[in-house]
Amino acid sequence: MSGVIDIDGARAEWTFPAEANAVRTARHAVRDTLNAWGLDPGTRDVTVLLVSELVTNSLRYASGPIGVRVAHREPVEGPPSLLVEVSDPLPDPPTERVAAHDDEGGRGLQLVAGSARRWGTRRDTEGKTVWFELALAG
């Protein structure tokens, strides 16, 4: 981990170099943060899995730093949620595809789409961000 940018009671953000250990390091950072926030094991496990998939995609296709941000949101109305963002310097959005039964990859976005309440991508001047939102128990 090249450095924790910010951690407070409701938000944590890191930047990881595009190196082989980025996935493992991101997984541990997110898991430790969600544990500290007291989130239930099911939400924690799904979040860590989806972060692993998105950081792997960034590592596979981008050559620059990978940003990970998690935010525990308490809206005025409706249930609380967890917003997770994974950013990299590649501006091209990821391509969702259907993986064949014997494909070794290609399921990351399928997992995100099937697990998250909402998800999407956005471009900015520094690349792109893939985000997802999970509903939390009220």
Side-chain angles (χ1 to χ4, degrees):
M1 176 169 41
S2 68
V4 175
I5 296 172
D6 185 31
I7 292 182
D8 64 31
R11 182 174 56 118
E13 186 171 345
W14 307 267
T15 300
F16 304 97
E19 297 173 354
N21 66 347
V23 177
R24 179 176 43 89
T25 306
R27 213 174 25 238
H28 288 294
V30 169
R31 181 180 294 118
D32 291 347
T33 298
L34 300 183
N35 279 337
W37 290 351
L39 295 186
D40 70 89
T43 299
R44 185 181 59 232
D45 292 345
V46 168
T47 304
V48 169
L49 171 66
L50 299 181
V51 165
S52 294
E53 293 294 332
L54 295 179
V55 171
T56 297
N57 284 350
S58 290
L59 186 60
R60 180 173 289 151
Y61 299 109
S63 59
I66 300 165
V68 176
R69 179 177 182 267
V70 294
H72 186 268
R73 302 175 356 160
E74 294 283 346
V76 175
E77 293 182 20
S81 65
L82 185 69
L83 175 66
V84 179
E85 299 175 328
V86 176
S87 303
D88 64 51
L90 186 67
D92 302 327
T95 304
E96 190 175 4
R97 65 182 180 96
V98 176
H101 178 69
D102 57 347
D103 284 350
E104 290 187 22
R107 292 176 182 80
L109 289 179
Q110 289 177 334
L111 286 170
V112 171
S115 302
R117 175 167 65 184
R118 302 181 313 142
W119 77 279
T121 63
R122 68 176 182 273
R123 283 186 180 179
D124 61 30
T125 57
E126 297 178 10
K128 70 161 172 319
T129 299
V130 180
W131 60 270
F132 63 89
E133 183 180 61
L134 297 173
L136 300 176

